[in-house]
Amino acid sequence: MRKVKPAGWFPLLNGLFLILFSFLCVYPFVYVLALSFNEGLDAQRGGIFFYPRVFSLENYVTIFKNPDLVNSYWITIYRVVVGTVVSLGLTAVTSFALSRDTLPFRRTFNWIIFIPMYFSGGLIPYYIVLNNLGLTNNLLVYVVPLLMSSFNIILMRTFMKSLPESLFESARLDGASEFQLFRRIAFPLSGPVLATIALFTAVMHWNDWYTGMVFVFEKTLWPASTLLLNILRSSEIANYVNPKMFMGAGLARKHVVTPESLKMAMLITTTAPVLVIYPFLQRYFVKGVMIGSLKG
Amino acid sequence: MAIPVKRNRKQVVLLLFMLPATVFFALFAYWPIYGMVMAFQNFSPALGFEKSPWVGLENFQHIFEMPNFLMALRNTLVISSLKILISFPAAIVFALLLNEVTRPLFKKSVQTISYLPYFVSWLIVSGLFYKLLSLEGPLNEVLVSMHLVDKPILFLSDEGLFYPILIFTDIWKNIGWNSIIYLAALAGVDPELYEAARVDGAGRLRQMLHISLPSIKNVIILLFVLTLTSVLSADFDQLYTMGNPSVRKVGEILDTLVLKMLQGGTIRDYSYGAAMSFFKNTIGFVLFLVANYLLNRTQEKGVI
């Protein structure tokens, strides 16, 4: 921190610019949030900028009443939970082995894991392989091919390598096996890096629309993100709006859901969890990025 | 003799620990890499990578005669270059400006807010901007009411506006994240340097240009060279979600075209698509190796 008394026009202008910048970062979310809580037909008149004009929860109620949409959120939750937990365990085990000097063929293993970070077979061979393995159109495709990432392994390995060797040494003298060294020392001491990887993996799973779009053809097997992609790109949303609510009964009901207003609510429900947890990520990820950018 | 036996057992345990990763990378990284042979085959799913007939370089000849491929290649290069020219320096400028803020709370708040868009997917970002830029969206409403335009603009269907929108949203989403490393480097600059400059009468702007900027030069060079190596991937997620049929001529990139070869094509297109990926990934990898070699030579700070 430099202590300089603010002088001249520069600090003021800079501050104003950064405030404007922050506003621009947040505004798109505010706008869509306002629309999602606004009554559908009213929103079509325009003129909503910061907050809803005719407040309504109907858009969200429609989402949570629609079995197809609810189902897609369950698929998302399944892959976030299972994907993150299994992935974390396997990454930890692998990273531990790589961090030990006693691992045979260590250099070879390091290369095996390093190369895929910068070289891959491309989409079509990858697709053929997943198809051969029976993973296409299968709920396992959301978890299995994403279990490990070279980047995460290298990140955790670097961290475990930095743990003091004396800890392992004394445990070994007490007769601890390699497995115990992992379970009793390396794993519990890797808290910060485990948290970083868990949060990043969870966000990746929550956000991933690509896997469903390319490898799964049945809509009932899509996670919420892929369903949202489909809804945003086509006018299919009408199928999800209860026709009674949308058409005739609209006159009797005070609140009407339109395809557009429903899209807005879906955008928010598919974003909200990430926005809620990301400030907690902050604490870890700066460190994570720094470790990751060091030599492998 | 007891020690080697014990060590052997230990090594077996560690090798067992490596088993899941070995299987995983063999299946999901190296099998597809082996599958790249299909770029030299007339691939048929029934015959697989092993038995499909070889066609030499025919697939490559074919793709370089495809107008769509050449268009996608050109678009990819143009979009990447624009991002390198504009988004890349933008993150440096942002870090420098943020570094000038003396109030810790304000600085931290701006920083936290600036990371926000990084964590949402391009699907959401495109959804947000489609709504903001739509005919009845707030931007058009403001422009019309201020009489800056006669009638609402169809922003995302306009070929001329597509690249500016791509760059804007790219900066919007990534600038905070991309500035992290610069900010960390700036935090390590010796405060006495600024003190000395102030004594010599340098203002804030000159301190920024003559002290802050040169002190992060090495980080900038490292990241710049690494960015150059990804010149053939213009960000699939962004282009796929923001692209639409009316801007296809400027918005089709290599990765979106490969997806079309997979999803909308014939079996023959599988091999053409694989050839496109082969071309893209091999050049990318060679660029990476060259960059790493150069960085190791000049800075002793390569990635490998």
Side-chain angles (χ1 to χ4, degrees):
Chain A
M1 267 324 113
R2 274 183 294 146
K3 286 220 174 70
V4 188
K5 57 177 175 186
W9 50 269
F10 179 73
L12 184 70
L13 214 62
N14 189 23
L16 285 176
F17 172 79
L18 290 174
I19 289 172
L20 181 71
F21 170 83
S22 308
F23 171 75
L24 282 179
C25 280
V26 179
Y27 183 67
F29 295 103
V30 173
Y31 175 64
V32 170
L33 191 67
L35 286 183
S36 75
F37 278 108
N38 201 81
E39 194 272 336
L41 281 181
D42 175 71
Q44 287 175 350
R45 285 173 35 218
I48 294 168
F49 290 98
F50 295 100
Y51 45 84
R53 185 169 44 215
V54 179
F55 184 82
S56 162
L57 288 173
E58 207 60 37
N59 300 316
Y60 290 96
V61 172
T62 309
I63 289 183
F64 291 110
K65 269 190 189 157
N66 183 301
D68 294 339
L69 296 177
V70 171
N71 176 51
S72 75
Y73 280 101
W74 279 117
I75 293 174
T76 299
I77 291 168
Y78 141 77
R79 62 177 297 187
V80 168
V81 173
V82 178
T84 307
V85 170
V86 181
S87 166
L88 209 55
L90 290 177
T91 306
V93 165
T94 311
S95 310
F96 173 73
L98 283 173
S99 73
R100 308 298 296 154
D101 289 332
T102 42
L103 173 72
F105 315 113
R106 199 159 66 115
R107 274 185 68 85
T108 316
F109 280 125
N110 271 328
W111 278 106
I112 288 176
I113 284 161
F114 182 76
I115 290 170
M117 210 152 66
Y118 293 97
F119 192 65
S120 72
L123 172 64
I124 294 177
Y126 186 67
Y127 179 89
I128 307 275
V129 166
L130 292 195
N131 204 34
N132 287 346
L133 291 169
L135 285 170
T136 47
N137 219 19
N138 183 331
L139 282 177
L140 285 176
V141 79
Y142 298 126
V143 172
V144 178
L146 301 171
L147 278 177
M148 290 195 222
S149 104
S150 304
F151 181 82
N152 289 345
I153 293 174
I154 291 171
L155 190 72
M156 203 185 286
R157 183 207 63 182
T158 311
F159 184 89
M160 286 182 170
K161 250 187 177 167
S162 70
L163 296 173
E165 184 59 34
S166 54
L167 282 174
F168 296 105
E169 206 56 59
S170 54
R172 226 187 343 252
L173 288 177
D174 293 340
S177 66
E178 285 291 321
F179 182 73
Q180 282 167 327
L181 293 186
F182 168 70
R183 208 174 63 100
R184 296 270 162 79
I185 302 178
F187 192 77
L189 286 180
S190 301
V193 76
L194 285 169
T196 311
I197 291 175
L199 290 168
F200 269 91
T201 310
V203 170
M204 180 273 287
H205 274 292
W206 181 275
N207 281 339
D208 176 31
W209 45 270
Y210 181 80
T211 309
M213 187 259 295
V214 179
F215 302 107
V216 179
F217 328 115
E218 237 158 288
K219 285 180 189 176
T220 48
L221 300 181
W222 279 348
S225 52
T226 307
L227 203 59
L228 177 66
L229 171 79
N230 199 45
I231 285 171
L232 290 177
R233 292 182 78 89
S234 60
S235 41
E236 247 187 275
I237 183 81
N239 301 339
Y240 296 98
V241 183
N242 185 343
K244 251 194 289 168
M245 204 186 293
F246 186 42
M247 309 283 287
L251 296 171
R253 286 182 80 97
K254 248 171 80 191
H255 291 166
V256 175
V257 174
T258 64
E260 274 307 300
S261 65
L262 193 59
K263 273 186 195 177
M264 296 305 110
M266 249 207 106
L267 269 176
I268 294 298
T269 39
T270 326
T271 317
V274 175
L275 296 190
V276 171
I277 65 161
Y278 103 93
F280 301 100
L281 278 162
Q282 263 240 93
R283 199 144 50 103
Y284 302 111
F285 68 56
V286 175
K287 215 182 197 173
V289 169
M290 296 312 290
I291 300 175
S293 63
L294 293 177
K295 271 187 177 223
Chain B
M1 288 310 282
I3 292 163
V5 171
K6 207 171 168 193
R7 174 164 291 169
N8 275 342
R9 204 171 51 212
K10 235 186 261 171
Q11 291 186 331
V12 170
V13 173
L14 286 178
L15 282 174
L16 275 177
F17 276 25
M18 286 307 296
L19 189 65
T22 310
V23 173
F24 177 88
F25 285 101
L27 287 182
F28 300 112
Y30 292 99
W31 193 2
I33 288 177
Y34 166 65
M36 289 173 108
V37 293
M38 68 189 284
F40 304 93
Q41 294 175 334
N42 177 358
F43 179 79
S44 116
L47 297 173
F49 299 138
E50 283 78 19
K51 293 187 185 133
S52 293
W54 296 90
V55 295
L57 294 175
E58 199 187 294
N59 296 330
F60 291 92
Q61 262 168 9
H62 181 264
I63 61 171
F64 277 98
E65 284 162 8
M66 273 174 72
N68 274 349
F69 176 73
L70 297 174
M71 175 185 82
L73 181 59
R74 196 202 57 213
N75 291 341
T76 309
L77 290 172
V78 172
I79 293 169
S80 298
S81 310
L82 285 173
K83 285 184 179 172
I84 290 170
L85 285 174
I86 304 168
S87 309
F88 184 82
I92 302 172
V93 172
F94 179 69
L96 288 173
L97 291 180
L98 203 55
N99 191 52
E100 291 300 315
V101 174
T102 41
R103 290 159 206 263
L105 187 67
F106 180 60
K107 185 176 174 181
K108 213 169 151 43
S109 314
V110 176
Q111 232 177 322
T112 307
I113 292 172
S114 74
Y115 300 147
L116 186 146
Y118 179 81
F119 288 97
V120 297
S121 63
W122 268 114
L123 172 64
I124 303 290
V125 174
S126 299
L128 296 179
F129 277 90
Y130 258 86
K131 195 65 196 167
L132 281 168
L133 300 175
S134 65
L135 278 180
E136 68 283 351
L139 186 60
N140 267 320
E141 236 176 292
V142 169
L143 288 177
V144 170
S145 70
M146 289 172 75
H147 299 290
L148 290 171
V149 293
D150 301 331
K151 56 181 188 345
I153 305 170
L154 264 166
F155 284 101
L156 281 152
S157 306
D158 189 320
E159 284 184 5
L161 291 174
F162 191 60
Y163 287 167
I165 292 173
L166 279 186
I167 300 298
F168 181 84
T169 50
D170 179 49
I171 293 179
W172 183 82
K173 187 172 191 302
N174 295 322
I175 193 170
W177 179 263
N178 289 343
S179 66
I180 291 179
I181 291 189
Y182 301 121
L183 279 167
L186 284 169
V189 178
D190 186 356
E192 279 184 27
L193 287 175
Y194 294 105
E195 196 60 52
R198 242 190 331 272
V199 173
D200 290 346
R204 295 292 285 269
L205 209 57
R206 293 186 66 180
Q207 289 175 37
M208 199 163 90
L209 290 176
H210 296 290
I211 298 176
S212 304
L213 196 57
S215 356
I216 57 170
K217 197 185 76 191
N218 281 354
V219 181
I220 295 178
I221 293 174
L222 176 75
L223 291 182
F224 184 72
V225 173
L226 288 179
T227 310
L228 281 183
T229 64
S230 58
V231 71
L232 286 180
S233 9
D235 200 335
F236 170 85
D237 285 16
Q238 182 188 23
L239 270 296
Y240 184 78
T241 52
M242 294 221 115
N244 59 69
S246 22
V247 293
R248 199 183 74 89
K249 266 198 218 131
V250 293
E252 186 89 272
I253 57 166
L254 291 179
D255 287 329
T256 54
L257 185 61
V258 171
L259 181 68
K260 282 194 181 132
M261 303 303 277
L262 173 69
Q263 289 189 324
T266 61
I267 296 292
R268 193 71 188 88
D269 286 332
Y270 281 18
S271 301
Y272 297 142
M276 293 175 193
S277 291
F278 186 96
F279 169 79
K280 183 199 146 203
N281 293 0
T282 313
I283 291 186
F285 193 54
V286 169
L287 284 176
F288 168 74
L289 292 177
V290 171
N292 196 61
Y293 173 77
L294 291 178
L295 289 171
N296 270 324
R297 289 267 314 250
T298 54
Q299 294 201 317
E300 297 165 30
K301 242 188 180 175
V303 178
I304 307 179

PDB file of all heavy atoms in Angstrom, chain A residues 35-41 43 59-60 63 256-266, chain B residues 131:
ATOM      1  N   LEU A  35     -36.424  -8.005 -14.680  1.00  0.00           N
ATOM      2  CA  LEU A  35     -37.404  -8.572 -15.616  1.00  0.00           C
ATOM      3  C   LEU A  35     -37.972  -9.884 -15.096  1.00  0.00           C
ATOM      4  O   LEU A  35     -39.157 -10.171 -15.263  1.00  0.00           O
ATOM      5  CB  LEU A  35     -36.755  -8.816 -16.976  1.00  0.00           C
ATOM      6  CG  LEU A  35     -36.474  -7.606 -17.847  1.00  0.00           C
ATOM      7  CD1 LEU A  35     -35.910  -8.059 -19.182  1.00  0.00           C
ATOM      8  CD2 LEU A  35     -37.720  -6.771 -18.064  1.00  0.00           C
ATOM      9  N   SER A  36     -37.107 -10.694 -14.452  1.00  0.00           N
ATOM     10  CA  SER A  36     -37.558 -12.013 -14.026  1.00  0.00           C
ATOM     11  C   SER A  36     -38.592 -11.903 -12.910  1.00  0.00           C
ATOM     12  O   SER A  36     -39.397 -12.805 -12.724  1.00  0.00           O
ATOM     13  CB  SER A  36     -36.373 -12.866 -13.579  1.00  0.00           C
ATOM     14  OG  SER A  36     -35.921 -12.460 -12.311  1.00  0.00           O
ATOM     15  N   PHE A  37     -38.563 -10.805 -12.167  1.00  0.00           N
ATOM     16  CA  PHE A  37     -39.541 -10.621 -11.081  1.00  0.00           C
ATOM     17  C   PHE A  37     -40.701  -9.735 -11.524  1.00  0.00           C
ATOM     18  O   PHE A  37     -41.504  -9.310 -10.701  1.00  0.00           O
ATOM     19  CB  PHE A  37     -38.879 -10.015  -9.846  1.00  0.00           C
ATOM     20  CG  PHE A  37     -38.164 -11.034  -9.000  1.00  0.00           C
ATOM     21  CD1 PHE A  37     -36.782 -11.072  -8.960  1.00  0.00           C
ATOM     22  CD2 PHE A  37     -38.892 -11.965  -8.262  1.00  0.00           C
ATOM     23  CE1 PHE A  37     -36.128 -12.024  -8.188  1.00  0.00           C
ATOM     24  CE2 PHE A  37     -38.238 -12.918  -7.491  1.00  0.00           C
ATOM     25  CZ  PHE A  37     -36.857 -12.949  -7.457  1.00  0.00           C
ATOM     26  N   ASN A  38     -40.734  -9.426 -12.822  1.00  0.00           N
ATOM     27  CA  ASN A  38     -41.820  -8.568 -13.301  1.00  0.00           C
ATOM     28  C   ASN A  38     -42.885  -9.421 -13.967  1.00  0.00           C
ATOM     29  O   ASN A  38     -42.581 -10.463 -14.555  1.00  0.00           O
ATOM     30  CB  ASN A  38     -41.281  -7.548 -14.296  1.00  0.00           C
ATOM     31  CG  ASN A  38     -42.188  -6.353 -14.437  1.00  0.00           C
ATOM     32  OD1 ASN A  38     -42.156  -5.454 -13.615  1.00  0.00           O
ATOM     33  ND2 ASN A  38     -43.016  -6.358 -15.460  1.00  0.00           N
ATOM     34  N   GLU A  39     -44.099  -8.959 -13.909  1.00  0.00           N
ATOM     35  CA  GLU A  39     -45.194  -9.662 -14.560  1.00  0.00           C
ATOM     36  C   GLU A  39     -44.931  -9.662 -16.070  1.00  0.00           C
ATOM     37  O   GLU A  39     -44.492  -8.654 -16.637  1.00  0.00           O
ATOM     38  CB  GLU A  39     -46.504  -8.959 -14.189  1.00  0.00           C
ATOM     39  CG  GLU A  39     -47.753  -9.726 -14.490  1.00  0.00           C
ATOM     40  CD  GLU A  39     -48.237  -9.467 -15.902  1.00  0.00           C
ATOM     41  OE1 GLU A  39     -47.901  -8.403 -16.449  1.00  0.00           O
ATOM     42  OE2 GLU A  39     -48.903 -10.336 -16.456  1.00  0.00           O
ATOM     43  N   GLY A  40     -45.169 -10.811 -16.723  1.00  0.00           N
ATOM     44  CA  GLY A  40     -44.758 -11.003 -18.101  1.00  0.00           C
ATOM     45  C   GLY A  40     -45.288 -10.012 -19.130  1.00  0.00           C
ATOM     46  O   GLY A  40     -44.516  -9.423 -19.883  1.00  0.00           O
ATOM     47  N   LEU A  41     -46.615  -9.817 -19.174  1.00  0.00           N
ATOM     48  CA  LEU A  41     -47.181  -8.932 -20.190  1.00  0.00           C
ATOM     49  C   LEU A  41     -46.739  -7.496 -19.965  1.00  0.00           C
ATOM     50  O   LEU A  41     -46.440  -6.764 -20.910  1.00  0.00           O
ATOM     51  CB  LEU A  41     -48.714  -9.003 -20.166  1.00  0.00           C
ATOM     52  CG  LEU A  41     -49.342 -10.216 -20.863  1.00  0.00           C
ATOM     53  CD1 LEU A  41     -50.856 -10.139 -20.775  1.00  0.00           C
ATOM     54  CD2 LEU A  41     -48.891 -10.293 -22.317  1.00  0.00           C
ATOM     55  N   ALA A  43     -43.975  -6.505 -18.724  1.00  0.00           N
ATOM     56  CA  ALA A  43     -42.576  -6.331 -19.107  1.00  0.00           C
ATOM     57  C   ALA A  43     -42.445  -6.007 -20.595  1.00  0.00           C
ATOM     58  O   ALA A  43     -41.519  -5.315 -21.012  1.00  0.00           O
ATOM     59  CB  ALA A  43     -41.776  -7.588 -18.775  1.00  0.00           C
ATOM     60  N   ASN A  59     -43.187 -16.209 -12.619  1.00  0.00           N
ATOM     61  CA  ASN A  59     -42.188 -16.811 -13.507  1.00  0.00           C
ATOM     62  C   ASN A  59     -41.444 -17.934 -12.809  1.00  0.00           C
ATOM     63  O   ASN A  59     -41.222 -18.996 -13.379  1.00  0.00           O
ATOM     64  CB  ASN A  59     -41.181 -15.757 -13.957  1.00  0.00           C
ATOM     65  CG  ASN A  59     -41.849 -14.629 -14.713  1.00  0.00           C
ATOM     66  OD1 ASN A  59     -42.701 -14.878 -15.569  1.00  0.00           O
ATOM     67  ND2 ASN A  59     -41.501 -13.396 -14.382  1.00  0.00           N
ATOM     68  N   TYR A  60     -41.069 -17.663 -11.562  1.00  0.00           N
ATOM     69  CA  TYR A  60     -40.331 -18.678 -10.805  1.00  0.00           C
ATOM     70  C   TYR A  60     -41.242 -19.838 -10.419  1.00  0.00           C
ATOM     71  O   TYR A  60     -40.837 -20.996 -10.465  1.00  0.00           O
ATOM     72  CB  TYR A  60     -39.691 -18.053  -9.561  1.00  0.00           C
ATOM     73  CG  TYR A  60     -38.550 -17.132  -9.934  1.00  0.00           C
ATOM     74  CD1 TYR A  60     -38.741 -15.765 -10.058  1.00  0.00           C
ATOM     75  CD2 TYR A  60     -37.283 -17.653 -10.194  1.00  0.00           C
ATOM     76  CE1 TYR A  60     -37.696 -14.925 -10.420  1.00  0.00           C
ATOM     77  CE2 TYR A  60     -36.238 -16.825 -10.551  1.00  0.00           C
ATOM     78  CZ  TYR A  60     -36.449 -15.461 -10.663  1.00  0.00           C
ATOM     79  OH  TYR A  60     -35.427 -14.637 -11.032  1.00  0.00           O
ATOM     80  N   ILE A  63     -41.471 -22.202 -13.258  1.00  0.00           N
ATOM     81  CA  ILE A  63     -40.291 -23.058 -13.397  1.00  0.00           C
ATOM     82  C   ILE A  63     -40.370 -24.215 -12.420  1.00  0.00           C
ATOM     83  O   ILE A  63     -40.210 -25.377 -12.796  1.00  0.00           O
ATOM     84  CB  ILE A  63     -38.997 -22.262 -13.109  1.00  0.00           C
ATOM     85  CG1 ILE A  63     -38.735 -21.284 -14.236  1.00  0.00           C
ATOM     86  CG2 ILE A  63     -37.806 -23.210 -12.958  1.00  0.00           C
ATOM     87  CD1 ILE A  63     -37.453 -20.514 -14.080  1.00  0.00           C
ATOM     88  N   VAL A 256     -49.389 -12.961 -15.612  1.00  0.00           N
ATOM     89  CA  VAL A 256     -49.235 -13.784 -16.795  1.00  0.00           C
ATOM     90  C   VAL A 256     -47.744 -14.062 -17.016  1.00  0.00           C
ATOM     91  O   VAL A 256     -46.908 -13.190 -16.794  1.00  0.00           O
ATOM     92  CB  VAL A 256     -49.829 -13.061 -18.024  1.00  0.00           C
ATOM     93  CG1 VAL A 256     -49.562 -13.847 -19.283  1.00  0.00           C
ATOM     94  CG2 VAL A 256     -51.311 -12.856 -17.818  1.00  0.00           C
ATOM     95  N   VAL A 257     -47.459 -15.303 -17.427  1.00  0.00           N
ATOM     96  CA  VAL A 257     -46.078 -15.648 -17.731  1.00  0.00           C
ATOM     97  C   VAL A 257     -45.921 -15.678 -19.246  1.00  0.00           C
ATOM     98  O   VAL A 257     -46.683 -16.332 -19.935  1.00  0.00           O
ATOM     99  CB  VAL A 257     -45.737 -17.028 -17.140  1.00  0.00           C
ATOM    100  CG1 VAL A 257     -44.352 -17.473 -17.571  1.00  0.00           C
ATOM    101  CG2 VAL A 257     -45.832 -16.973 -15.628  1.00  0.00           C
ATOM    102  N   THR A 258     -44.945 -14.958 -19.760  1.00  0.00           N
ATOM    103  CA  THR A 258     -44.697 -14.999 -21.201  1.00  0.00           C
ATOM    104  C   THR A 258     -43.407 -15.790 -21.430  1.00  0.00           C
ATOM    105  O   THR A 258     -42.606 -15.946 -20.504  1.00  0.00           O
ATOM    106  CB  THR A 258     -44.505 -13.585 -21.780  1.00  0.00           C
ATOM    107  OG1 THR A 258     -43.327 -13.032 -21.202  1.00  0.00           O
ATOM    108  CG2 THR A 258     -45.707 -12.712 -21.482  1.00  0.00           C
ATOM    109  N   PRO A 259     -43.204 -16.263 -22.651  1.00  0.00           N
ATOM    110  CA  PRO A 259     -41.957 -16.980 -22.917  1.00  0.00           C
ATOM    111  C   PRO A 259     -40.735 -16.147 -22.513  1.00  0.00           C
ATOM    112  O   PRO A 259     -39.793 -16.669 -21.921  1.00  0.00           O
ATOM    113  CB  PRO A 259     -42.000 -17.205 -24.429  1.00  0.00           C
ATOM    114  CG  PRO A 259     -43.452 -17.273 -24.747  1.00  0.00           C
ATOM    115  CD  PRO A 259     -44.112 -16.315 -23.794  1.00  0.00           C
ATOM    116  N   GLU A 260     -40.754 -14.861 -22.812  1.00  0.00           N
ATOM    117  CA  GLU A 260     -39.607 -14.011 -22.482  1.00  0.00           C
ATOM    118  C   GLU A 260     -39.381 -13.914 -20.980  1.00  0.00           C
ATOM    119  O   GLU A 260     -38.256 -14.013 -20.503  1.00  0.00           O
ATOM    120  CB  GLU A 260     -39.793 -12.603 -23.062  1.00  0.00           C
ATOM    121  CG  GLU A 260     -39.327 -12.441 -24.492  1.00  0.00           C
ATOM    122  CD  GLU A 260     -37.894 -12.894 -24.732  1.00  0.00           C
ATOM    123  OE1 GLU A 260     -36.985 -12.328 -24.099  1.00  0.00           O
ATOM    124  OE2 GLU A 260     -37.676 -13.810 -25.550  1.00  0.00           O
ATOM    125  N   SER A 261     -40.459 -13.705 -20.229  1.00  0.00           N
ATOM    126  CA  SER A 261     -40.278 -13.530 -18.788  1.00  0.00           C
ATOM    127  C   SER A 261     -39.792 -14.834 -18.155  1.00  0.00           C
ATOM    128  O   SER A 261     -39.018 -14.828 -17.204  1.00  0.00           O
ATOM    129  CB  SER A 261     -41.566 -13.043 -18.126  1.00  0.00           C
ATOM    130  OG  SER A 261     -42.572 -14.026 -18.217  1.00  0.00           O
ATOM    131  N   LEU A 262     -40.238 -15.956 -18.719  1.00  0.00           N
ATOM    132  CA  LEU A 262     -39.794 -17.240 -18.201  1.00  0.00           C
ATOM    133  C   LEU A 262     -38.305 -17.454 -18.489  1.00  0.00           C
ATOM    134  O   LEU A 262     -37.551 -17.955 -17.651  1.00  0.00           O
ATOM    135  CB  LEU A 262     -40.621 -18.362 -18.820  1.00  0.00           C
ATOM    136  CG  LEU A 262     -40.483 -19.716 -18.136  1.00  0.00           C
ATOM    137  CD1 LEU A 262     -40.902 -19.630 -16.686  1.00  0.00           C
ATOM    138  CD2 LEU A 262     -41.313 -20.769 -18.846  1.00  0.00           C
ATOM    139  N   LYS A 263     -37.879 -17.028 -19.678  1.00  0.00           N
ATOM    140  CA  LYS A 263     -36.455 -17.114 -20.024  1.00  0.00           C
ATOM    141  C   LYS A 263     -35.619 -16.347 -19.012  1.00  0.00           C
ATOM    142  O   LYS A 263     -34.563 -16.818 -18.573  1.00  0.00           O
ATOM    143  CB  LYS A 263     -36.203 -16.478 -21.402  1.00  0.00           C
ATOM    144  CG  LYS A 263     -36.383 -17.389 -22.579  1.00  0.00           C
ATOM    145  CD  LYS A 263     -35.963 -16.641 -23.844  1.00  0.00           C
ATOM    146  CE  LYS A 263     -36.456 -17.337 -25.080  1.00  0.00           C
ATOM    147  NZ  LYS A 263     -36.119 -16.595 -26.307  1.00  0.00           N
ATOM    148  N   MET A 264     -36.098 -15.161 -18.649  1.00  0.00           N
ATOM    149  CA  MET A 264     -35.339 -14.333 -17.702  1.00  0.00           C
ATOM    150  C   MET A 264     -35.211 -15.039 -16.354  1.00  0.00           C
ATOM    151  O   MET A 264     -34.143 -15.058 -15.742  1.00  0.00           O
ATOM    152  CB  MET A 264     -36.036 -12.974 -17.508  1.00  0.00           C
ATOM    153  CG  MET A 264     -36.101 -12.130 -18.754  1.00  0.00           C
ATOM    154  SD  MET A 264     -34.486 -11.836 -19.502  1.00  0.00           S
ATOM    155  CE  MET A 264     -34.598 -12.817 -20.978  1.00  0.00           C
ATOM    156  N   ALA A 265     -36.326 -15.642 -15.902  1.00  0.00           N
ATOM    157  CA  ALA A 265     -36.280 -16.336 -14.613  1.00  0.00           C
ATOM    158  C   ALA A 265     -35.344 -17.535 -14.692  1.00  0.00           C
ATOM    159  O   ALA A 265     -34.631 -17.846 -13.741  1.00  0.00           O
ATOM    160  CB  ALA A 265     -37.677 -16.772 -14.212  1.00  0.00           C
ATOM    161  N   MET A 266     -35.330 -18.186 -15.868  1.00  0.00           N
ATOM    162  CA  MET A 266     -34.439 -19.343 -15.993  1.00  0.00           C
ATOM    163  C   MET A 266     -32.980 -18.913 -16.009  1.00  0.00           C
ATOM    164  O   MET A 266     -32.112 -19.584 -15.460  1.00  0.00           O
ATOM    165  CB  MET A 266     -34.775 -20.123 -17.259  1.00  0.00           C
ATOM    166  CG  MET A 266     -35.392 -21.455 -16.895  1.00  0.00           C
ATOM    167  SD  MET A 266     -35.152 -22.763 -18.092  1.00  0.00           S
ATOM    168  CE  MET A 266     -33.965 -23.843 -17.398  1.00  0.00           C
TER     169      MET A 266
ATOM    170  N   LYS B 131     -30.545  -9.937 -24.332  1.00  0.00           N
ATOM    171  CA  LYS B 131     -31.698  -9.197 -23.802  1.00  0.00           C
ATOM    172  C   LYS B 131     -31.398  -7.699 -23.763  1.00  0.00           C
ATOM    173  O   LYS B 131     -32.210  -6.876 -24.170  1.00  0.00           O
ATOM    174  CB  LYS B 131     -32.005  -9.714 -22.395  1.00  0.00           C
ATOM    175  CG  LYS B 131     -33.358  -9.306 -21.888  1.00  0.00           C
ATOM    176  CD  LYS B 131     -34.466  -9.934 -22.705  1.00  0.00           C
ATOM    177  CE  LYS B 131     -35.782  -9.213 -22.446  1.00  0.00           C
ATOM    178  NZ  LYS B 131     -36.806  -9.594 -23.433  1.00  0.00           N
TER     179      LYS B 131
END
